[in-house]
Structure formats: structure tokens, C-alpha cells
Amino acid sequence: MIEDGPELAWRPRERPPRRRRSRRTTKLLGAAALLLAFGFGIAFGEAIHDNPKPSGPLTVGTTFVPTVSTISHP
């Protein structure tokens, strides 16, 4: 029979210390995200501005002037 001594008791595994991001990296990532969002906002606004609004029906009148041609028969 196996005896459970204090050296065999269950112990949680020790984790290595977590590496934290530096403040500089966090600030750079935040600035990049803000610039990206600003760029998308500008592009979206320009796309909406460039899209023409539909107007009412458009009628185009063209006048055809008949031409007389003389055909010579051989």
C-alpha cells in the first residue's frame, strides 16, 4: 500500500512569471488603432460624399434632320 506523505501531496504547478507589455508598446498599439479608425472614417465619409443622390426622371430630346441623298443608277 502506498502512503501519501507530505512530499507526495498534490501541489499546484508553479507558472513562470507572465511578461507584461511595456507602456510604450501599449501606447503605440493604441495610436495605430486610432489612426486606422480615423483613416476608415475619412474613406467612408468620402465614399458617401462622392455618391450622387438620385434625381427625378431625365428626359433627353434629340432632333433628327433628314438628309436627302441622290443615288445615281447605272
Side-chain angles (χ1 to χ4, degrees):
M1 186 161 146
I2 300 174
E3 294 182 20
D4 290 332
E7 65 277 350
L8 297 177
W10 181 82
R11 286 180 287 176
R13 187 177 359 161
E14 292 184 26
R15 292 183 181 178
R18 291 175 56 180
R19 292 179 54 176
R20 299 184 68 176
R21 284 190 185 140
S22 68
R23 289 183 188 242
R24 181 178 179 190
T25 304
T26 304
K27 286 182 181 180
L28 286 174
L29 287 174
L34 283 175
L35 284 173
L36 188 64
F38 182 73
F40 276 124
I42 294 292
F44 184 71
E46 286 294 321
I48 289 175
H49 180 72
D50 289 345
N51 191 9
K53 292 184 176 132
S55 61
L58 182 64
T59 304
V60 177
T62 305
T63 304
F64 291 101
V65 179
T67 58
V68 179
S69 63
T70 54
I71 302 175
S72 61
H73 293 284

